[in-house]
């Protein structure tokens, strides 16, 4: 199904960090009429995320880092427990997932599996996130991780069952991480 829009006008609002445009357009309705709408759309590029798991140990590796938008929206510490992720830049989704795993956790994993891709906030952000999982082993850790440049990332290894419980009690609130942990649970990957 193709979009039923016309008379699209695009205005640049900001290009300081990423790009923010305002779009004004006419949306055709099912009844044949149309309505003018205006939307601000933030384009930060596409990304990839990867959840590292160890079936034998029953563990997953997450990261803990400061996220300003969560701080602004009521997270007193601003810290967010999440699966490692990053923007694709010039890399393929798999290359990005592997790069982020090394940069953020220190693990250079072997086989990775793409499980799906999703728009994470389609009401205002263009980004598609590519989701991956990979089994890790202790001997694949080449560095301590922690991120690069201005990042200050804590690497957190914890039991898978604890991570799932942390969704229910609110300690894990990151959407991509919840989706990845639930994928492992639904597909019985950790059994």
């Amino acid at each position: 199904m193709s979009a039923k829009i016309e008379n699209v006008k695009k205005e640049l609002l900001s290009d300081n960090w990423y790009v923010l445009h305002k779009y004004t357009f006419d949306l055709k309705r099912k009844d044949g009429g149309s309505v003018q709408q205006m939307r601000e759309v933030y384009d930060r590029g596409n990304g990839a995320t990867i959840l590292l798991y160890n079936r034998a140990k029953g563990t997953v590796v997450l990261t803990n880092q400061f996220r300003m938008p969560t701080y602004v929206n009521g997270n007193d510490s601003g810290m967010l427990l999440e699966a490692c992720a990053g923007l694709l830049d010039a890399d393929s989704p798999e290359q990005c997932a592997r790069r982020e795993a090394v940069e953020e956790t220190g693990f250079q994993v072997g086989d990775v599996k793409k499980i799906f891709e999703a728009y994470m906030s389609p009401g205002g952000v263009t980004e598609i996130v590519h989701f991956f999982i990979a089994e890790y082993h202790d001997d694949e850790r080449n560095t301590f991780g922690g991120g690069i440049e201005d990042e200050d990332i804590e690497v957190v290894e914890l039991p898978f069952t604890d991570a799932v419980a942390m969704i229910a009690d609110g300690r894990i609130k990151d959407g991509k991480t919840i989706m990845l942990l639930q994928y492992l649970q639904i597909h019985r990957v950790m059994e």
Side-chain angles (χ1 to χ4, degrees), residues 99-144:
R99 179 189 76 231
E100 293 298 327
V102 170
E103 289 175 5
E104 294 187 6
T105 71
F107 285 97
Q108 185 153 1
V109 293
D111 293 331
V112 300
K113 178 181 178 183
K114 183 173 181 181
I115 53 175
F116 53 80
E117 56 190 61
Y119 289 102
M120 297 302 292
S121 190
V125 181
T126 61
E127 181 182 33
I128 292 175
V129 177
H130 301 264
F131 287 73
F132 293 86
I133 58 173
E135 189 159 10
Y136 74 93
H137 304 283
D138 291 335
D139 63 352
E140 294 174 323
R141 191 163 195 187
N142 296 336
T143 70
F144 292 109

Side-chain angles (χ1 to χ4, degrees), residues 59-161:
T59 56
V60 294
V61 172
L62 300 176
T63 63
N64 196 30
Q65 61 183 305
F66 181 79
R67 297 296 195 180
M68 185 63 175
T70 74
Y71 178 79
V72 171
N73 196 21
N75 178 0
D76 290 339
S77 71
M79 299 301 288
L80 196 64
L81 194 57
E82 58 186 290
C84 58
L87 294 178
L88 300 184
D89 298 323
D91 290 339
S92 72
E94 182 177 326
Q95 289 169 327
C96 175
R98 288 178 179 281
R99 179 189 76 231
E100 293 298 327
V102 170
E103 289 175 5
E104 294 187 6
T105 71
F107 285 97
Q108 185 153 1
V109 293
D111 293 331
V112 300
K113 178 181 178 183
K114 183 173 181 181
I115 53 175
F116 53 80
E117 56 190 61
Y119 289 102
M120 297 302 292
S121 190
V125 181
T126 61
E127 181 182 33
I128 292 175
V129 177
H130 301 264
F131 287 73
F132 293 86
I133 58 173
E135 189 159 10
Y136 74 93
H137 304 283
D138 291 335
D139 63 352
E140 294 174 323
R141 191 163 195 187
N142 296 336
T143 70
F144 292 109
I148 58 170
E149 298 167 6
D150 63 345
E151 296 178 316
D152 185 22
I153 297 171
E154 175 190 6
V155 180
V156 180
E157 182 179 40
L158 67 158
F160 172 68
T161 54

Side-chain angles (χ1 to χ4, degrees), residues 44 54 170:
R44 47 177 266 119
N54 184 301

